[in-house]
Amino acid sequence: MIPLPLIDGRTLARVITYLNKHTEDDASDEAKRKFDEEFLYGMEVGVLYDAALAANYLDIGGLFHEVCQRIADGMMNKSVEWVRKTFHIESEFTSEEEVQIKKEYAWAWEGVDSNAD
Amino acid sequence: MENGKGKRVEAIDDQLQLPESIIQHIQSFLTGKEAASTAVLSKSWYNSWLTRPALDFDERNFQNQNLDPQNDDKFFNFVKRSMERYHGLNLTIESFKLWMNVRDVDSSSLATELIVKAVKMGANGVNLEFSPPISEYILPKELFEAESLVGLSLAGCKIFSGEVMCLRLKSLHLSKVCVEDDMIRDIMLGCPLIENFVLSDCEGFVKVNVSKMVELKRFSVIRHVTNPVVFRSPFIEFEEQSIGSIIDGRPNLSEFRKLSCLFLERVKIGKMLFSDFSNKFPCLEDLTVHHCVGCFIFNISSQSLKYISLAHTRRLEVQLDVPNIRKIKFSGSSIPSLTFITASREWESDIALSCWNYLGVSWLLELKKFLMNLSPSRITLRIELFTENRIDCLPVIQGLSKPILENLILMAHSSSSVSSALLDGIFWSFRPKPLPWKTLLDNVESPEKEVQIRFLLRWQSPENAGPSHGPLV
């Protein structure tokens, strides 16, 4: 028995599903890619986070890569407020601090529609 | 909360909080600009970004339309400040990416300073691109002396000969790079672990000997300059003259044991590339031969090949003995002849033909013959019409079997290219499976379109299929 204190049963079950598919002998690369797409499609943010933590803890490179890529894809071209809301990120910044950061790294905001959703 | 692993793990809240290392990993999937914009999300995202192990410095992010001369300083300042911060905190990095315009002494010395520092900070993946391509910028020797280097990608620079100590290098991608013969030789000998090697439009050398690269899995040679290249297993020779000679050497059978992907574009090849193919490339699964000169009639016989992609404007005649094939792609302007001695039970063909000449009945018949040979596979046929076509009389081919097309896509670049006669001819010759009529005539201008669409709807109805062909559905 190997206790895994940091992972709950549901997440572990998902991880095992992923591993089973990826260690199948006759699963082709396209089949695996298709599986990954369906597996991660529509996953809630909380579930994605759990999967990322679990994959990181268990050192499962492939799954960790896919989940992080998915989270990154979800953040692209979205406004700051949207990302914070969707990904449950609490900003501890005051509005002055926020303005300061945006000023300091103004180049990162150039050409970006701040209200893009 | 403690975590048994020795990684950079910080306390994890019960809330949906991610530790810094995971945030940094997510940020590494974003471009430099996008990653910087995540810094404002929260304090942990800000801190993660400030100490991120994946550095991406892109001068283009600092250029706006005003061509403000102050912008040059902005990039310099940002980069210098970042490097100082990392130095002060004694941080190491995993990957370093740089895009820079190197046109004077200042930018050139900045680039050198950055690369040397990145190497000192332990970067194992380095990706450098300089503008203008094949700039006069000479890479610092420290780069190839970096023992930690695992992946290296260079574009638009010069490599001077020096010591090669990056023994762990697994992936090398050179694009528009100027490097001399002895340096190439030193790299080939000094980096035995290379699995992925791409040479694209490089110059300065004549010979590339890949025989010692026993771990090589993917090998691409792309050449857009007019000087042809001679591929002589296991050598690739870049001839200075416009006509190279192919020497019939007996290949050493122990080479290329792990090669699984070979990509040749605009390279001069000889028939002996394909002789004894299975023994030369026992693991080759993916073969691409695009617009190569020197050999238009050849046989490919391989147990391991799964994907083949061929392209040419001239007519190719290829005989294939590929029992494990999964997909064949062809693109070109002359209908090739592909005959199969063996093929697998289920595979796909993806054919793209671009038509510049007048299409007559003989073209249709030749196309039909070509597709019949591909019949056991699921065929996707894309025809791109560039000129006006007229087909004067329908070919008399009723009663003969017709190849079945999984997908048929017609792209017309002028409304006169798609005449009803041509469509008649196509539908008489092949049996395309029903597909939405929208996709067929996307590029045709409207007055013609209506005529064509009505014509197609007529075709799609079962009554018009005729007794000898069965319904089109």
Side-chain angles (χ1 to χ4, degrees), chain B residues 146-221:
Chain B
E147 291 172 0
S148 56
L149 216 51
V150 171
L152 180 59
S153 169
L154 302 171
C157 56
K158 268 192 175 157
I159 307 176
F160 263 17
S161 304
E163 281 215 59
V164 175
M165 307 204 309
C166 41
L167 308 167
R168 294 205 209 136
L169 197 61
K170 274 194 182 170
S171 167
L172 180 59
H173 190 127
L174 302 178
S175 170
K176 296 193 166 72
V177 170
C178 185
V179 52
E180 287 180 9
D181 258 321
D182 45 1
M183 186 57 177
I184 283 267
R185 189 198 58 224
D186 286 345
I187 296 174
M188 302 290 104
L189 292 176
C191 307
L193 298 180
I194 292 186
E195 290 177 12
N196 185 358
F197 185 30
V198 174
L199 270 179
S200 172
D201 280 336
C202 297
E203 58 178 41
F205 51 93
V206 170
K207 237 186 199 147
V208 176
N209 181 352
V210 294
S211 58
K212 294 287 181 292
M213 292 162 75
V214 287
E215 297 293 324
L216 198 58
K217 289 198 181 118
R218 302 178 65 94
F219 185 31
S220 297
V221 184

Coordinates of all heavy atoms in Angstrom, one line a residue, chain B residues 146-221:
Chain B
A146 N 29.2 24.9 -23.8 CA 28.3 24.7 -22.7 C 28.0 23.2 -22.6 O 27.3 22.6 -23.5 CB 27.0 25.5 -23.0
E147 N 28.4 22.6 -21.5 CA 28.1 21.2 -21.4 C 26.7 20.8 -21.0 O 26.3 19.7 -21.2 CB 29.1 20.6 -20.3 CG 30.5 20.7 -20.7 CD 31.5 20.3 -19.6 OE1 31.0 20.0 -18.5 OE2 32.7 20.3 -19.9
S148 N 26.0 21.9 -20.6 CA 24.6 21.6 -20.2 C 23.6 21.5 -21.3 O 22.5 21.1 -21.2 CB 24.1 22.6 -19.1 OG 24.3 23.9 -19.7
L149 N 24.1 22.0 -22.5 CA 23.2 22.1 -23.6 C 22.6 20.8 -24.1 O 23.3 19.9 -24.4 CB 24.0 22.8 -24.8 CG 23.3 23.8 -25.6 CD1 22.6 24.9 -24.8 CD2 24.3 24.5 -26.6
V150 N 21.2 20.8 -24.2 CA 20.6 19.6 -24.7 C 19.8 19.9 -26.0 O 19.7 19.1 -26.9 CB 19.5 19.1 -23.7 CG1 18.7 18.0 -24.3 CG2 20.3 18.6 -22.5
G151 N 19.3 21.2 -26.1 CA 18.6 21.5 -27.3 C 19.1 22.9 -27.8 O 19.2 23.8 -27.1
L152 N 19.4 23.0 -29.1 CA 20.0 24.2 -29.7 C 19.3 24.5 -31.0 O 19.3 23.7 -31.9 CB 21.5 24.1 -29.8 CG 22.2 25.3 -30.4 CD1 22.0 26.5 -29.5 CD2 23.7 25.0 -30.5
S153 N 18.8 25.7 -31.1 CA 18.2 26.1 -32.4 C 18.8 27.5 -32.8 O 18.7 28.4 -32.0 CB 16.7 26.2 -32.2 OG 16.1 26.8 -33.3
L154 N 19.3 27.6 -34.0 CA 20.0 28.8 -34.4 C 19.5 29.3 -35.7 O 19.3 28.5 -36.6 CB 21.5 28.6 -34.5 CG 22.2 28.1 -33.3 CD1 23.7 27.8 -33.6 CD2 22.2 29.2 -32.2
A155 N 19.3 30.6 -35.9 CA 18.8 31.1 -37.2 C 19.5 32.4 -37.4 O 19.5 33.3 -36.6 CB 17.3 31.2 -37.2
G156 N 20.0 32.5 -38.6 CA 20.6 33.8 -39.1 C 21.8 34.3 -38.4 O 21.9 35.4 -38.1
C157 N 22.8 33.4 -38.3 CA 24.1 33.9 -37.7 C 25.2 33.1 -38.2 O 25.1 32.3 -39.1 CB 24.0 33.7 -36.2 SG 23.6 32.0 -35.7
K158 N 26.4 33.3 -37.7 CA 27.6 32.6 -38.1 C 28.2 31.9 -37.0 O 28.2 32.4 -35.8 CB 28.6 33.7 -38.6 CG 28.6 34.0 -40.0 CD 29.8 34.8 -40.4 CE 29.8 35.0 -41.9 NZ 30.6 36.1 -42.4
I159 N 28.8 30.7 -37.3 CA 29.5 30.0 -36.3 C 30.9 29.8 -36.7 O 31.2 29.3 -37.7 CB 28.9 28.5 -36.1 CG1 27.4 28.6 -35.9 CG2 29.6 27.8 -35.0 CD1 26.7 27.2 -35.8
F160 N 31.8 30.3 -35.8 CA 33.2 30.2 -36.1 C 33.7 28.9 -35.5 O 33.2 28.5 -34.5 CB 34.0 31.4 -35.5 CG 34.3 32.4 -36.6 CD1 33.6 32.5 -37.7 CD2 35.3 33.4 -36.4 CE1 33.8 33.4 -38.7 CE2 35.5 34.4 -37.3 CZ 34.8 34.4 -38.5
S161 N 34.7 28.3 -36.0 CA 35.2 27.1 -35.5 C 35.8 27.2 -34.1 O 36.4 28.3 -33.8 CB 36.4 26.5 -36.4 OG 35.9 26.4 -37.7
G162 N 35.5 26.2 -33.3 CA 36.0 26.3 -31.9 C 35.8 24.9 -31.3 O 35.5 24.0 -32.0
E163 N 35.9 24.9 -30.0 CA 35.7 23.7 -29.3 C 34.3 23.3 -29.1 O 33.4 24.2 -28.9 CB 36.3 23.8 -27.9 CG 37.8 23.7 -27.9 CD 38.3 23.0 -26.6 OE1 37.8 21.9 -26.3 OE2 39.0 23.6 -25.8
V164 N 34.0 22.0 -29.3 CA 32.6 21.6 -29.1 C 32.6 20.7 -27.9 O 33.1 19.6 -27.9 CB 32.2 20.8 -30.4 CG1 30.8 20.2 -30.1 CG2 32.2 21.6 -31.6
M165 N 32.0 21.2 -26.8 CA 31.9 20.4 -25.6 C 30.5 20.1 -25.2 O 30.3 19.6 -24.1 CB 32.7 21.2 -24.5 CG 34.0 21.6 -25.0 SD 35.3 21.9 -23.7 CE 34.5 23.0 -22.6
C166 N 29.6 20.3 -26.0 CA 28.2 20.1 -25.6 C 27.8 18.6 -25.9 O 27.1 18.3 -26.9 CB 27.2 21.0 -26.3 SG 27.6 21.4 -28.0
L167 N 28.4 17.7 -25.1 CA 28.2 16.3 -25.4 C 26.8 15.8 -25.3 O 26.5 14.8 -25.8 CB 29.1 15.5 -24.4 CG 30.6 15.9 -24.4 CD1 31.2 15.3 -23.2 CD2 31.3 15.5 -25.7
R168 N 26.0 16.6 -24.5 CA 24.7 16.1 -24.2 C 23.7 16.5 -25.3 O 22.5 16.3 -25.1 CB 24.2 16.6 -22.9 CG 25.0 16.0 -21.8 CD 24.2 16.0 -20.5 NE 25.1 16.2 -19.4 CZ 24.9 16.9 -18.3 NH1 23.8 17.6 -18.3 NH2 25.8 17.0 -17.4
L169 N 24.1 17.2 -26.3 CA 23.2 17.8 -27.3 C 22.4 16.7 -27.9 O 22.9 15.8 -28.5 CB 24.0 18.6 -28.3 CG 23.2 19.6 -29.2 CD1 22.6 20.6 -28.3 CD2 24.1 20.2 -30.2
K170 N 21.0 16.9 -27.9 CA 20.1 15.9 -28.5 C 19.4 16.5 -29.7 O 19.0 15.8 -30.5 CB 19.1 15.5 -27.4 CG 19.5 14.5 -26.5 CD 18.3 13.9 -25.8 CE 18.8 12.8 -24.8 NZ 17.7 12.4 -23.9
S171 N 19.3 17.8 -29.7 CA 18.5 18.4 -30.8 C 19.2 19.6 -31.4 O 19.6 20.5 -30.6 CB 17.1 18.8 -30.3 OG 16.5 19.5 -31.2
L172 N 19.5 19.6 -32.7 CA 20.2 20.7 -33.3 C 19.4 21.1 -34.5 O 19.2 20.4 -35.4 CB 21.6 20.2 -33.7 CG 22.5 21.3 -34.4 CD1 22.7 22.5 -33.5 CD2 23.9 20.7 -34.7
H173 N 19.1 22.4 -34.5 CA 18.3 22.9 -35.6 C 19.0 24.2 -36.1 O 19.1 25.2 -35.5 CB 16.9 23.3 -35.0 CG 15.9 23.6 -36.1 ND1 14.7 23.0 -36.1 CD2 16.0 24.5 -37.1 CE1 14.0 23.6 -37.1 NE2 14.7 24.5 -37.7
L174 N 19.5 24.1 -37.4 CA 20.2 25.2 -37.9 C 19.5 25.7 -39.2 O 19.2 25.0 -40.1 CB 21.6 24.8 -38.4 CG 22.5 24.2 -37.3 CD1 23.9 23.8 -37.9 CD2 22.8 25.2 -36.2
S175 N 19.2 27.0 -39.1 CA 18.5 27.6 -40.2 C 19.2 28.9 -40.7 O 19.4 29.7 -39.9 CB 17.0 27.9 -39.8 OG 16.4 28.7 -40.7
K176 N 19.5 29.0 -41.9 CA 20.2 30.1 -42.5 C 21.4 30.5 -41.6 O 21.7 31.6 -41.3 CB 19.3 31.3 -42.5 CG 18.1 31.1 -43.5 CD 17.4 32.4 -43.7 CE 16.4 32.3 -44.9 NZ 15.2 31.5 -44.6
V177 N 22.2 29.5 -41.4 CA 23.4 29.6 -40.6 C 24.6 29.4 -41.5 O 24.6 28.6 -42.4 CB 23.4 28.6 -39.4 CG1 24.8 28.6 -38.7 CG2 22.3 28.9 -38.4
C178 N 25.7 30.2 -41.2 CA 26.9 30.0 -42.0 C 27.9 29.4 -41.1 O 28.3 29.9 -40.0 CB 27.4 31.4 -42.4 SG 28.8 31.4 -43.4
V179 N 28.3 28.2 -41.5 CA 29.3 27.4 -40.6 C 30.3 26.7 -41.5 O 29.9 26.2 -42.6 CB 28.5 26.5 -39.7 CG1 27.5 25.6 -40.4 CG2 29.5 25.6 -38.9
E180 N 31.5 26.6 -41.1 CA 32.5 25.9 -41.9 C 32.6 24.4 -41.8 O 32.2 23.9 -40.7 CB 33.9 26.6 -41.7 CG 33.9 28.0 -42.3 CD 35.3 28.7 -42.0 OE1 36.2 28.0 -41.5 OE2 35.4 29.8 -42.3
D181 N 33.2 23.8 -42.7 CA 33.4 22.4 -42.8 C 33.9 21.7 -41.5 O 33.4 20.8 -41.0 CB 34.4 22.0 -43.9 CG 33.6 21.4 -45.1 OD1 32.6 20.7 -44.9 OD2 34.0 21.8 -46.2
D182 N 35.0 22.3 -41.0 CA 35.6 21.6 -39.8 C 34.8 21.8 -38.6 O 34.8 20.9 -37.7 CB 37.1 22.0 -39.6 CG 37.3 23.5 -39.7 OD1 36.3 24.2 -39.9 OD2 38.4 24.0 -39.5
M183 N 34.0 22.9 -38.5 CA 33.2 23.0 -37.4 C 32.0 22.0 -37.4 O 31.6 21.4 -36.4 CB 32.6 24.5 -37.3 CG 31.8 24.8 -36.0 SD 32.8 24.4 -34.5 CE 31.6 25.0 -33.3
I184 N 31.5 21.9 -38.6 CA 30.4 20.9 -38.8 C 30.9 19.5 -38.4 O 30.2 18.7 -37.7 CB 29.9 20.9 -40.3 CG1 28.9 22.1 -40.5 CG2 29.1 19.6 -40.6 CD1 27.5 21.8 -40.3
R185 N 32.1 19.2 -38.9 CA 32.7 17.9 -38.6 C 32.8 17.7 -37.1 O 32.5 16.7 -36.5 CB 34.0 17.7 -39.3 CG 34.6 16.3 -39.2 CD 36.0 16.3 -39.6 NE 36.8 17.2 -38.7 CZ 37.8 18.0 -39.1 NH1 38.1 18.1 -40.3 NH2 38.4 18.7 -38.2
D186 N 33.3 18.8 -36.4 CA 33.5 18.7 -35.0 C 32.2 18.5 -34.2 O 32.1 17.8 -33.2 CB 34.2 20.0 -34.4 CG 35.7 20.0 -34.8 OD1 36.2 19.0 -35.2 OD2 36.3 21.1 -34.7
I187 N 31.2 19.2 -34.7 CA 29.8 19.0 -34.1 C 29.3 17.6 -34.3 O 28.9 16.9 -33.3 CB 28.8 20.0 -34.6 CG1 29.2 21.4 -34.3 CG2 27.4 19.7 -34.1 CD1 28.3 22.5 -35.0
M188 N 29.5 17.1 -35.5 CA 29.0 15.7 -35.8 C 29.7 14.7 -34.9 O 29.1 13.8 -34.4 CB 29.2 15.3 -37.2 CG 28.5 16.2 -38.3 SD 26.8 16.1 -38.3 CE 26.3 17.6 -37.4
L189 N 31.0 14.9 -34.7 CA 31.8 13.9 -33.9 C 31.6 14.2 -32.4 O 31.6 13.2 -31.6 CB 33.3 14.0 -34.3 CG 33.7 13.6 -35.7 CD1 35.1 13.8 -35.9 CD2 33.4 12.1 -35.8
G190 N 31.5 15.4 -32.1 CA 31.5 15.8 -30.7 C 30.1 15.6 -30.0 O 30.0 15.6 -28.7
C191 N 29.0 15.4 -30.8 CA 27.7 15.3 -30.2 C 27.1 14.0 -30.6 O 26.2 14.0 -31.5 CB 26.8 16.5 -30.6 SG 27.6 18.1 -30.3
P192 N 27.5 12.9 -30.0 CA 27.0 11.6 -30.5 C 25.6 11.3 -30.1 O 25.0 10.3 -30.6 CB 28.0 10.6 -29.8 CG 28.4 11.3 -28.6 CD 28.5 12.8 -28.9
L193 N 25.0 12.1 -29.2 CA 23.6 11.8 -28.8 C 22.6 12.5 -29.6 O 21.4 12.4 -29.2 CB 23.5 12.2 -27.3 CG 24.4 11.5 -26.3 CD1 24.1 12.1 -24.9 CD2 24.2 10.0 -26.3
I194 N 22.9 13.2 -30.6 CA 21.9 14.0 -31.4 C 20.8 13.0 -31.9 O 21.1 12.1 -32.6 CB 22.6 14.8 -32.5 CG1 23.4 15.9 -31.9 CG2 21.5 15.4 -33.4 CD1 24.0 16.9 -32.9
E195 N 19.6 13.3 -31.6 CA 18.5 12.6 -32.1 C 17.7 13.3 -33.2 O 17.1 12.7 -34.1 CB 17.5 12.3 -31.0 CG 18.0 11.3 -30.0 CD 17.1 11.1 -28.8 OE1 15.9 11.6 -28.9 OE2 17.5 10.5 -27.8
N196 N 17.8 14.6 -33.2 CA 17.0 15.4 -34.1 C 17.9 16.4 -34.7 O 18.6 17.3 -34.1 CB 15.9 16.1 -33.3 CG 15.0 16.9 -34.1 OD1 15.1 17.0 -35.3 ND2 14.0 17.5 -33.5
F197 N 18.1 16.4 -36.1 CA 19.0 17.3 -36.7 C 18.3 17.9 -38.0 O 17.9 17.2 -38.9 CB 20.2 16.4 -37.2 CG 21.3 17.2 -37.8 CD1 21.6 18.6 -37.4 CD2 22.2 16.6 -38.7 CE1 22.6 19.3 -38.0 CE2 23.2 17.4 -39.3 CZ 23.5 18.7 -38.9
V198 N 18.3 19.2 -38.0 CA 17.7 19.9 -39.1 C 18.7 20.9 -39.7 O 19.3 21.7 -39.0 CB 16.4 20.7 -38.7 CG1 15.9 21.5 -39.8 CG2 15.4 19.8 -38.2
L199 N 18.9 20.8 -41.0 CA 19.8 21.7 -41.7 C 18.9 22.4 -42.8 O 18.5 21.8 -43.7 CB 20.8 21.0 -42.5 CG 22.2 20.7 -41.8 CD1 23.0 19.9 -42.7 CD2 22.8 21.9 -41.3
S200 N 18.6 23.7 -42.5 CA 17.8 24.4 -43.5 C 18.5 25.6 -44.0 O 18.8 26.5 -43.3 CB 16.5 24.7 -42.7 OG 15.7 25.5 -43.5
D201 N 18.7 25.6 -45.4 CA 19.3 26.8 -46.0 C 20.5 27.2 -45.4 O 20.7 28.4 -45.2 CB 18.2 27.9 -46.0 CG 17.2 27.7 -47.1 OD1 17.5 27.0 -48.1 OD2 16.1 28.2 -47.0
C202 N 21.4 26.3 -45.0 CA 22.7 26.8 -44.4 C 23.8 26.8 -45.5 O 23.7 26.2 -46.5 CB 23.1 25.8 -43.3 SG 21.9 25.8 -41.9
E203 N 24.9 27.5 -45.2 CA 25.9 27.6 -46.2 C 27.3 27.6 -45.5 O 27.4 27.7 -44.3 CB 25.8 28.8 -47.0 CG 25.7 30.1 -46.2 CD 25.6 31.3 -47.1 OE1 24.8 31.3 -48.1 OE2 26.3 32.3 -46.8
G204 N 28.3 27.5 -46.3 CA 29.7 27.7 -45.8 C 30.4 26.3 -45.7 O 31.6 26.3 -45.5
F205 N 29.7 25.2 -45.9 CA 30.3 23.9 -45.8 C 30.0 23.1 -47.1 O 29.1 23.4 -47.8 CB 29.9 23.2 -44.6 CG 28.4 23.1 -44.4 CD1 27.7 22.1 -44.9 CD2 27.7 24.2 -43.8 CE1 26.3 22.0 -44.7 CE2 26.4 24.1 -43.6 CZ 25.7 23.0 -44.1
V206 N 30.8 22.1 -47.2 CA 30.6 21.2 -48.4 C 30.1 19.8 -48.0 O 29.3 19.2 -48.7 CB 32.0 21.1 -49.2 CG1 31.9 20.1 -50.3 CG2 32.3 22.5 -49.8
K207 N 30.7 19.3 -46.9 CA 30.3 17.9 -46.6 C 29.7 17.8 -45.2 O 30.1 18.5 -44.2 CB 31.7 17.1 -46.5 CG 31.7 16.0 -47.4 CD 33.0 15.2 -47.2 CE 33.2 14.3 -48.4 NZ 34.6 14.0 -48.8
V208 N 28.7 17.0 -45.1 CA 28.1 16.7 -43.8 C 28.1 15.2 -43.6 O 27.4 14.5 -44.4 CB 26.7 17.2 -43.7 CG1 26.1 16.8 -42.4 CG2 26.7 18.7 -43.8
N209 N 28.8 14.7 -42.7 CA 28.9 13.2 -42.5 C 28.1 12.9 -41.2 O 28.5 13.2 -40.1 CB 30.4 12.8 -42.3 CG 30.5 11.3 -42.1 OD1 29.6 10.6 -42.0 ND2 31.8 10.9 -42.2
V210 N 27.0 12.2 -41.5 CA 26.1 11.9 -40.3 C 26.3 10.5 -39.9 O 25.5 9.9 -39.1 CB 24.6 12.2 -40.6 CG1 24.4 13.7 -40.7 CG2 24.1 11.5 -41.8
S211 N 27.3 9.8 -40.4 CA 27.4 8.4 -40.1 C 27.7 8.1 -38.6 O 27.4 7.0 -38.2 CB 28.5 7.8 -41.0 OG 29.8 8.4 -40.7
K212 N 28.3 9.0 -37.9 CA 28.6 8.7 -36.5 C 27.4 9.0 -35.6 O 27.5 8.8 -34.4 CB 29.8 9.5 -36.0 CG 31.1 9.2 -36.7 CD 31.6 7.8 -36.3 CE 32.9 7.4 -36.9 NZ 32.8 7.1 -38.3
M213 N 26.3 9.5 -36.2 CA 25.2 9.9 -35.3 C 24.3 8.8 -35.2 O 23.2 8.7 -35.8 CB 24.5 11.2 -35.9 CG 25.4 12.4 -35.8 SD 24.9 13.7 -36.9 CE 23.5 14.4 -36.0
V214 N 24.7 7.8 -34.3 CA 23.9 6.6 -34.2 C 22.6 6.7 -33.6 O 21.7 5.9 -33.7 CB 24.7 5.5 -33.5 CG1 25.8 5.0 -34.4 CG2 25.3 6.0 -32.2
E215 N 22.4 7.8 -32.8 CA 21.1 8.0 -32.1 C 20.1 8.8 -33.0 O 19.0 9.0 -32.5 CB 21.3 8.8 -30.8 CG 22.2 8.1 -29.8 CD 21.5 6.9 -29.3 OE1 20.3 6.9 -29.1 OE2 22.2 5.9 -29.0
L216 N 20.5 9.1 -34.2 CA 19.7 10.0 -35.0 C 18.3 9.4 -35.3 O 18.2 8.3 -35.9 CB 20.4 10.3 -36.4 CG 19.9 11.4 -37.2 CD1 20.0 12.7 -36.4 CD2 20.8 11.6 -38.4
K217 N 17.3 10.1 -34.9 CA 15.9 9.6 -35.2 C 15.2 10.5 -36.3 O 14.4 10.0 -37.0 CB 15.1 9.7 -33.9 CG 15.5 8.7 -32.9 CD 14.4 8.5 -31.9 CE 14.8 7.5 -30.8 NZ 14.9 8.1 -29.5
R218 N 15.5 11.8 -36.3 CA 14.8 12.7 -37.2 C 15.9 13.5 -38.0 O 16.7 14.2 -37.3 CB 13.8 13.6 -36.5 CG 12.8 12.9 -35.8 CD 11.9 13.9 -35.1 NE 11.2 14.7 -36.0 CZ 9.9 14.4 -36.5 NH1 9.3 13.3 -36.0 NH2 9.3 15.1 -37.3
F219 N 15.8 13.5 -39.3 CA 16.9 14.1 -40.0 C 16.2 14.9 -41.2 O 15.5 14.3 -42.0 CB 17.8 13.1 -40.6 CG 19.0 13.7 -41.3 CD1 19.5 14.9 -41.0 CD2 19.6 13.0 -42.3 CE1 20.6 15.4 -41.7 CE2 20.7 13.5 -43.0 CZ 21.2 14.7 -42.7
S220 N 16.4 16.2 -41.2 CA 15.8 17.0 -42.3 C 16.9 17.8 -43.0 O 17.7 18.5 -42.3 CB 14.8 18.0 -41.7 OG 13.7 17.3 -41.1
V221 N 16.8 17.8 -44.3 CA 17.7 18.7 -45.1 C 16.8 19.5 -46.0 O 16.1 18.9 -46.8 CB 18.7 17.9 -45.9 CG1 19.7 18.9 -46.6 CG2 19.5 17.0 -45.0

